[in-house]
Amino acid sequence: MKHLRKIATLIIAVIMVAAIAVGIGVIYAVRNVNVTFLSYADDNAETKILTVKESVLSNCRGRLISSISEEDVSSVLADDCFLESFEKVLPCTINITVQQRREVFTVFDGETYSTYDDVGKFMRTAEKNENSYDGAPNLIITGTDGDNDIKTVAAVCAIFKSEENFGSLRAAVKQVELYKSQTTITTDSDRLTFRLWSGLSIEIRDFTQHTAEKIKKAFKLFDRLEPEQTLRGRIYCLADVNAEATYNPNA
């Protein structure tokens, strides 16, 4: 009889543990996903939120909230957006903020255009250089060799378009040319050239050093030019950070 009591007690304990585990699984299983969608276009925002919510729930619903990671969420997002923030709210809710990616840059290989977002992350390929949202041309980048170069150019462009500098990018710049020095001659430094739609070019030499200071000097000079001067010529920002930007109308 003692053995029977021990067996019965063990069975009851196993049943209780199983019941508790099932209860915890039910209580802490993901059931809700709240989505905030940050977009630079106002159209179809509600539809996009619903699509994101359904995609995340299809991958996470019913799973223990403690087992859900940011990767579980970001892996089901469409290519034109990324996960900005991720928060677990016990017992069963996930709050996420999703940011729409902006098409900004493009690289032409002679046949197709490879399109990148504002931080230099690849988005898609296309036969024409047209932004998928507004139909205007994306900013052409030349002289790059791989994704790292594109991300470097994108970082400099972020400084160029900041409020304290030129304030815009695609609307002002037609093309950005990256040149990598092939010699040790001091006058042959790496440089980045912005070709504006207006006709003026802005050349930043040794652009990875003191980048913000050089662009600021270029903008201050640009801001002082007469309207007709912005239609041609070139502004130079030399490798020496202490040198002032100069304008050559015949360059």
Side-chain angles (χ1 to χ4, degrees):
M1 292 294 292
K2 291 182 178 179
H3 292 296
L4 290 176
R5 290 196 191 95
K6 290 181 179 180
I7 293 172
T9 301
L10 179 61
I11 292 173
I12 292 171
V14 170
I15 293 173
M16 290 181 65
V17 170
I20 292 172
V22 170
I24 292 175
V26 171
I27 294 172
Y28 291 98
V30 173
R31 293 195 295 274
N32 305 311
V33 174
N34 297 322
V35 179
T36 299
F37 192 82
L38 304 179
S39 172
Y40 61 95
D42 295 331
D43 57 321
N44 299 323
E46 292 184 3
T47 300
K48 292 175 181 176
I49 289 174
L50 182 60
T51 300
V52 170
K53 182 177 292 189
E54 290 177 347
S55 296
V56 175
L57 281 173
S58 68
N59 192 39
C60 300
R61 183 190 280 115
R63 294 170 56 184
L64 282 175
I65 193 169
S66 61
S67 71
I68 304 299
S69 67
E70 292 188 29
E71 177 60 28
D72 292 317
V73 175
S74 60
S75 65
V76 299
L77 298 179
D79 289 339
D80 64 344
C81 57
F82 64 92
L83 184 64
E84 177 71 22
S85 67
F86 170 85
E87 179 188 20
K88 299 176 185 179
V89 181
L90 297 178
C92 60
T93 299
I94 295 174
N95 294 334
I96 62 174
T97 299
V98 175
Q99 172 76 59
Q100 185 179 22
R101 294 170 62 192
R102 291 176 181 262
E103 285 186 22
V104 177
F105 306 104
T106 192
V107 175
F108 185 56
D109 64 5
E111 295 182 357
T112 59
Y113 293 91
S114 297
T115 303
Y116 298 81
D117 65 11
D118 55 357
V119 296
K121 186 176 180 180
F122 176 77
M123 294 186 68
R124 65 185 179 93
T125 57
E127 294 182 355
K128 296 181 179 180
N129 180 22
E130 293 181 352
N131 186 282
S132 60
Y133 171 64
D134 59 25
N138 287 314
L139 195 162
I140 297 173
I141 299 177
T142 64
T144 56
D145 182 20
D147 290 346
N148 287 336
D149 280 353
I150 294 169
K151 290 177 180 178
T152 297
V153 172
V156 177
C157 286
I159 300 172
F160 183 95
K161 71 174 183 179
S162 62
E163 290 293 332
E164 62 269 23
N165 292 315
F166 290 84
S168 65
L169 191 61
R170 283 178 59 220
V173 183
K174 178 181 181 180
Q175 183 170 309
V176 177
E177 300 172 356
L178 171 64
Y179 172 81
K180 293 183 178 180
S181 174
Q182 304 298 317
T183 70
T184 57
I185 301 173
T186 56
T187 55
D188 186 34
S189 59
D190 294 350
R191 56 183 180 266
L192 204 62
T193 302
F194 296 83
R195 295 193 179 276
L196 308 189
W197 287 103
S198 66
L200 179 74
S201 294
I202 299 171
E203 182 177 306
I204 311 296
R205 296 184 182 179
D206 198 10
F207 66 91
T208 60
Q209 303 295 321
H210 306 286
T211 311
E213 294 93 327
K214 293 175 182 177
I215 291 178
K216 186 177 293 293
K217 289 182 178 181
F219 172 69
K220 287 182 177 179
L221 176 54
F222 173 83
D223 200 38
R224 296 196 303 267
L225 295 180
E226 297 295 331
E228 60 271 16
Q229 291 179 300
T230 65
L231 303 179
R232 62 189 178 92
R234 182 175 298 225
I235 290 176
Y236 293 94
C237 236
L238 302 182
D240 184 356
V241 71
N242 296 315
E244 291 297 322
T246 59
Y247 169 69
N248 184 343
N250 300 314

